[in-house]
Each structure stands twice: as C-alpha cells, then as structure tokens.
Amino acid sequence: MNHRPTRPPASRARAPRRPSLTGRLLTGLFLPALLLSGGAQAAALTVFAASSLTDAFTEIGRDFDRQTGNRTTFQFAGSQTLRTQLENGARADVFASASDTQFTPLVGKVVAARQVFARNTLTVIVPRGSARVRTLADLTRPGLRIVIAAPGVPAGEYTRQLLAAVDRAGTYGQDYAARFMKNVVSEEPNVRQVALKVQLGEADAAVVYTSDVTPALKARVQAVALPSRFAALTPYPVGVTLDSRSAPQARAFVAYLLSPDGQRTLRKWGFRAAR
C-alpha cells in the first residue's frame, strides 16, 4: 500500500508584535543617528566656529563623530573673520557665531536659518594671586594694563556695550568708559588671544567670556565677576550653510548641539543653556 508522505503541520503565523512605547520613542530619537552611522551616509563636515567655542566644540565634535560616523573638522577664529571668509566664498557646512551681529546678515544669503544653541557672559580675569583688581572701579586705576577684544569681535562689541551701560548708570563716576579705555594696551582679533595676554603676564586684566576661564587657564588666572546688570547674557547662533554638500549631516550636527548631550558638554565648558 502506498502511503502518502505526511506533511508537517503548517506553523501558525504570529501577529507582528507592536513595539512598546519606550521602543518607539527610542527609535524616533536614535534612528537619524543610526542612518548616519553607515559608511555610505557618513560625511566629512567643516564647521566654522567662534574662538570661544574651541574647547567645547572639540569635545562635541569627537562625541558626534563617534555616534554618527561622520568626520568633523573645525576652523576656529573670530566670528567677524569667519563671516568675511564665508562672504568671500569659503566653503563650510555649519557656521556657529558668538554674535548675532556677525550672523544675522548671512541668513538667507549664506546660512539657511538661525538657531540659538548657547549663551555666554563676560567676566574680568587677572593673574592668579593679584589683588590689584577686585571690582570694576579698579579697572580705571592709572597704570593698569588692560587687554580687550577689538571692535567687530563679538567679545569686543559686548565689552563696549558693558562700558556704555556702566557710563549710563553712573555707578563708578563720570566718563568711566574713557578712563577704562586709557588703560587698554592691546585690542586682540579674538577672545582667546585676549585671555592669553593675561596668562603670559602681558596684561594686568582682560575682559573675556566666562567660558574662556577653562580648567587649564584657572591655574594661571582668577576671575573677577561683573555685576549682572552690566554683563548681559549673549546668544550664540548656529546655522547650516546654503551650499553645504552634506546638509543632512550638517543638520544632524546642529541637532546634536541642542540635544541633552550637546547642552551638557557646553555647560561643562562654561556656557549657559540655549533657552
């Protein structure tokens, strides 16, 4: 008798499991990074960034590249220098400025849009152990050597705004700004050069950002806090350039700046929250 071979019973198809809410959220958060992490989609990015961002962006760039597979390089300089380079055809994927003055004129012409990713404020630094400068009043003492950023440099613009505010308040007598400026021995093209003058012993005081007082610099200098009514929080705008050859990855870099990880690193280096 011929026996028909028996077939194994068909397996019952399982209904697809609906991902949990946590899983859906994680996918939504990390899918863009996963897509960018593939070699085919990784890109070489060039970021133009203000000098005051050097330490924070170096660390952020390392973390961003490790997570996404991109290769990010930075060009650090005064915001006004970077703006001029971009207006004259220099190619970059992202521009991060220390000043709206140097950023806003480029919106729609060089960069696509503006987002504030951090804020900063000014402080005065003096050589460690110095007792010559304790308050704003001391900065007008005859013979003091002060270094500030040049006009057009964001830190230089904010320094002059601070001096004008002090003059208007009259707290430290008449013509405070004029007496302060008499002590200025150098005006530097970027704020990192300003801080270096004090570190090298070539100045008795300098006006820099609070973020410039890095752990390495703290060994050589000490900060003299400014009254908050004079030292306003200043925005740092960022945007993707219109001619970026890697716009999706450039947008991912901007998104990383605004992410909890990016904001944590910026705070670590002395910056304030974007909002």
Side-chain angles (χ1 to χ4, degrees), residues 16-160:
R17 183 186 298 173
R18 182 176 177 81
S20 67
L21 176 60
T22 302
R24 294 199 303 274
L25 287 174
L26 289 174
T27 301
L29 287 171
F30 295 114
L31 183 57
L34 291 171
L35 288 173
L36 287 174
S37 65
Q41 286 137 330
L45 295 177
T46 300
V47 177
F48 278 20
S51 295
S52 53
L53 293 164
T54 300
D55 296 298
F57 267 31
T58 299
E59 181 172 342
I60 283 171
R62 257 193 326 263
D63 294 341
F64 174 75
D65 287 355
R66 185 172 60 249
Q67 292 185 26
T68 64
N70 291 295
R71 301 178 304 281
T72 307
T73 58
F74 297 96
Q75 182 164 328
F76 297 109
S79 298
Q80 77 292 345
T81 299
L82 298 173
R83 172 189 171 182
T84 299
Q85 291 174 354
L86 289 168
E87 288 177 324
N88 284 280
R91 186 173 289 278
D93 298 289
V94 176
F95 177 38
S97 172
S99 164
D100 272 328
T101 302
Q102 303 301 334
F103 189 92
T104 302
L106 302 184
V107 175
K109 299 175 182 177
V110 175
V111 294
R114 169 191 178 275
Q115 287 182 280
V116 174
F117 67 94
R119 298 184 187 274
N120 215 339
T121 189
L122 295 178
T123 191
V124 172
I125 58 172
V126 300
R128 180 155 288 282
S130 173
R132 299 190 68 187
V133 178
R134 296 182 184 275
T135 69
L136 277 176
D138 295 329
L139 294 171
T140 61
R141 292 170 54 185
L144 200 72
R145 299 172 302 163
I146 299 175
V147 178
I148 62 175
V153 180
E157 293 175 1
Y158 296 133
T159 298
R160 287 159 178 79

Side-chain angles (χ1 to χ4, degrees), residues 169-180:
T171 308
Y172 299 99
Q174 294 183 339
D175 301 323
Y176 177 88
R179 288 182 285 121
F180 176 101

Side-chain angles (χ1 to χ4, degrees), residues 155-208:
E157 293 175 1
Y158 296 133
T159 298
R160 287 159 178 79
Q161 291 174 17
L162 179 147
L163 294 174
V166 173
D167 263 358
R168 287 193 300 271
T171 308
Y172 299 99
Q174 294 183 339
D175 301 323
Y176 177 88
R179 288 182 285 121
F180 176 101
M181 291 301 294
K182 282 183 180 179
N183 286 338
V184 173
V185 296
S186 179
E187 300 183 32
E188 299 297 317
N190 67 67
V191 72
R192 284 303 172 97
Q193 291 294 321
V194 175
L196 185 63
K197 291 288 185 179
V198 176
Q199 186 176 356
L200 295 175
E202 297 177 11
D204 302 309
V207 183
V208 298

